[in-house]
Amino acid sequence: MDYFPLFCQLKGRACLLVGAGDVAERKARLLLDAGAALTVVALDFTDAFERWAESGQLQKIEGEFAASQLDDKWLVIAATDSDTLNMQVSEAAEARRIFCNLVDAPEQASFIMPSIIDRSPLMIAVSSGGNAPVLARLMRERLEATLPLHLGRLAELAGSLRQRVKQHYSDGMTRRRWWEKLFNHQRLAQSLANNDIPQSEAFIEQLFAQPIEEQGEVVLVGAGPGDASLLTLKALQQMQLADVVVYDRLVSDEVLNLVRRDAERIFVGKQAGNHCVPQEQINQILVEQAQRGKRVVRLKGGDPFIFGRGGEELEVLAEAGIGFSVVPGITAASGCSAYSGIPLTHRDHAQSLRLITGHAKKDSSLDWPCLAQGKQTLVFYMGLSQAGEIQHQLTHHGLAVDTPVALIENGTTPAQKVVTGELSQLSELATQVKSPSLIIVGGVVALREKLNWFSSAEANPQPLAL
């Protein structure tokens, strides 16, 4: 360990900043945010320093640095454009055993300033020991993007509950499980994010009232169309928190690899004409796992509420009194069309978009006359086996036989395959692809030849994994 990580309490403590340029301005903001009693010494000051001094936020000393200015200081930062002066400050601080930071010279500093993620009172610091500050900044940005803004309020809430939890639960293991439930409670997190205090308090009372082992819940998570980089941040967070993951065949291996390693995985894959696990049994699995106190993630390809039977599963959970929440995902229509260079709407070709299931319940039928209207885009999910019927019904009800169509197999994945043609060829084109495939019908498909290069993998390279 090159540096000992330490969080300092500077509120009301005297600190010195030598220099008042742009770099020093950034350091001053951090010290002021920490509540330091800040003194700044410099020959010239930026406008920000002048404003801070006028408002009484810091004390200005206009002139040369003198070692005596370090008296009674807790720490000092040398942020001038003179290496010689910075070293003088460092040596004077060292002689007085005062921690000193030198900008752009970490090897000569007695402390370094990390990249900070501020979710006060939760603080996260990232440092490369001064070796690669840009890398530390990139890592901070990655972490910043994945951490919800409400974490600070959650930490404050936890602080206010510590004594009550200690009195309510006698042993440490039970307390630990209760805290895990609190921090992983998706609906509580949402209420905090919405600043809904009554709802937050209701969830807390519910946590105290129920036995720990009975507080399971289910989160329906949209896994997107295949490419793991299309997962939402919230989806990834839930996958990392899951005790149990129930998933189907539309969830790609790339996505599944991001699930918490020690989570139990239950495969309930379905394939057209071959339902290895009936829907009723899937519903029962979700209920039983939640009743055991597990945090269950129901991972569904695309979006749970777009032909994913998410609504049906939630109905069962609601009837069983199981808590649930939903994380939307990028649906196949959006992802597959974007990766194929096909805009779903376009002022010259389509003013409306219809998402259609290729196999509705047996006692229902589609409104084919309405679907056969022009100036719209039709996207058929799970319609590959019904391609001939789709072609017949649309042409029979007046849609032009030369209407462009596209079939997209394994959309957004490295194995993506796109076949295009006209509506009169749909049944024949369907023999050239395999399930899972999406069918797009409409004038927008004609734009693929012009736009496909811009949606190719070469034009959208993946970022370097850090």
Side-chain angles (χ1 to χ4, degrees):
M1 183 186 297
D2 295 328
Y3 289 86
F4 182 74
L6 183 69
F7 289 90
C8 299
Q9 172 57 271
L10 295 181
K11 196 164 294 183
R13 292 194 165 106
C15 298
L16 181 68
L17 175 61
V18 182
D22 292 336
V23 175
E25 200 175 294
R26 295 196 295 271
K27 304 294 185 182
R29 283 196 176 91
L30 292 172
L31 292 171
L32 292 174
D33 286 345
L38 182 60
T39 299
V40 183
V41 57
L43 297 176
D44 298 295
F45 296 84
T46 66
D47 291 342
F49 281 103
E50 298 289 357
R51 291 194 301 272
W52 286 328
E54 289 174 5
S55 62
Q57 293 178 263
L58 55 80
Q59 179 184 354
K60 254 181 28 173
I61 298 178
E62 190 169 349
E64 300 282 353
F65 165 75
S68 60
Q69 294 163 353
L70 290 170
D71 294 344
D72 300 323
K73 299 299 188 292
W74 288 76
L75 63 76
V76 59
I77 297 176
T80 76
D81 56 5
S82 169
D83 293 340
T84 301
L85 177 55
N86 288 344
M87 281 304 303
Q88 289 176 1
V89 176
S90 176
E91 290 167 0
E94 186 73 17
R96 289 165 171 76
R97 297 183 180 180
I98 299 172
F99 279 117
C100 180
N101 172 256
L102 278 69
V103 296
D104 296 329
E107 63 281 355
Q108 278 129 18
S110 54
F111 82 92
I112 57 177
M113 299 183 69
S115 293
I116 297 170
I117 302 167
D118 188 354
R119 298 289 190 274
S120 294
L122 181 67
M123 299 288 292
I124 300 172
V126 181
S127 173
S128 65
N131 291 296
V134 173
L135 177 60
R137 178 177 59 79
L138 289 174
M139 290 300 295
R140 180 191 65 78
E141 291 172 356
R142 293 285 182 92
L143 291 170
E144 184 85 59
T146 62
L147 296 175
L149 293 175
H150 71 266
L151 283 181
R153 288 193 289 275
L154 187 60
E156 290 177 346
L157 174 64
S160 69
L161 293 172
R162 287 183 64 185
Q163 192 60 34
R164 183 180 175 187
V165 172
K166 188 175 181 178
Q167 293 174 349
H168 195 88
Y169 300 105
S170 57
D171 66 284
M173 179 64 71
T174 305
R175 286 197 294 268
R176 182 181 65 82
R177 291 196 62 195
W178 190 91
W179 284 119
E180 289 176 348
K181 293 290 184 181
L182 176 81
F183 294 136
N184 294 331
H185 197 300
Q186 185 60 32
R187 287 168 294 156
L188 173 61
Q190 190 62 53
S191 66
L192 287 173
N194 295 336
N195 202 30
D196 189 342
I197 304 303
Q199 185 66 74
S200 300
E201 292 175 347
F203 286 136
I204 292 167
E205 295 307 319
Q206 188 180 60
L207 283 173
F208 277 115
Q210 295 177 349
I212 291 292
E213 62 275 8
E214 295 181 7
Q215 294 174 12
E217 63 178 323
V218 178
V219 184
L220 265 64
V221 175
D227 184 350
S229 66
L230 294 180
L231 277 172
T232 65
L233 294 175
K234 195 169 186 179
L236 181 59
Q237 291 163 2
Q238 294 303 318
M239 290 161 60
Q240 289 291 313
L241 293 172
D243 298 314
V244 179
V245 175
V246 181
Y247 67 101
D248 55 48
R249 65 182 291 269
L250 293 179
V251 178
S252 68
D253 291 339
E254 185 183 9
V255 169
L256 203 59
N257 286 338
L258 298 175
V259 169
R260 197 175 88 184
R261 293 186 182 277
D262 58 345
E264 180 184 355
R265 303 182 185 192
I266 302 176
F267 176 65
V268 292
K270 295 181 179 182
Q271 191 169 1
N274 179 25
H275 288 199
C276 67
V277 180
Q279 184 63 49
E280 293 74 14
Q281 187 176 340
I282 295 174
N283 298 343
Q284 190 60 33
I285 289 172
L286 298 178
V287 171
E288 290 176 352
Q289 291 294 328
Q291 288 175 337
R292 294 173 185 168
K294 301 295 183 66
R295 182 174 182 81
V296 184
V297 163
R298 173 65 168 111
L299 200 56
K300 290 175 169 289
D303 181 274
F305 280 179
I306 299 182
F307 307 127
R309 295 193 175 181
E312 297 176 36
E313 293 176 1
L314 292 191
E315 286 182 295
V316 174
L317 294 172
E319 291 171 1
I322 302 296
F324 58 80
S325 58
V326 181
V327 179
I330 293 179
T331 187
S334 181
C336 295
S337 63
Y339 275 54
S340 304
I342 302 172
L344 291 175
T345 62
H346 189 284
R347 287 190 298 173
D348 296 333
H349 299 276
Q351 285 76 51
S352 65
L353 168 66
R354 294 178 180 268
L355 308 182
I356 309 146
T357 176
H359 56 81
K361 286 188 175 182
K362 292 181 179 179
D363 59 351
S364 63
S365 60
L366 298 176
D367 186 353
W368 292 109
C370 185
L371 295 178
Q373 300 295 318
K375 292 291 184 178
Q376 62 181 343
T377 302
L378 308 178
V379 181
F380 290 90
Y381 287 66
M382 302 165 289
L384 197 60
S385 62
Q386 301 296 320
E389 179 69 6
I390 293 170
Q391 174 185 327
H392 168 73
Q393 291 290 354
L394 289 178
T395 55
H396 176 72
H397 288 87
L399 191 60
V401 295
D402 61 351
T403 301
V405 299
L407 293 85
I408 307 170
E409 173 187 330
N410 290 316
T412 78
T413 72
Q416 174 174 295
K417 178 181 179 181
V418 182
V419 177
T420 59
E422 297 180 350
L423 180 58
S424 61
Q425 305 168 310
L426 182 57
S427 58
E428 176 188 347
L429 296 173
T431 64
Q432 302 177 30
V433 295
K434 299 177 180 178
S435 181
S437 291
L438 202 71
I439 300 173
I440 301 179
V441 181
V444 292
V445 175
L447 296 170
R448 169 175 158 76
E449 183 177 352
K450 181 178 181 181
L451 303 180
N452 184 44
W453 184 88
F454 297 99
S455 62
S456 67
E458 291 78 8
N460 291 280
Q462 295 297 312
L464 179 66
L466 295 178

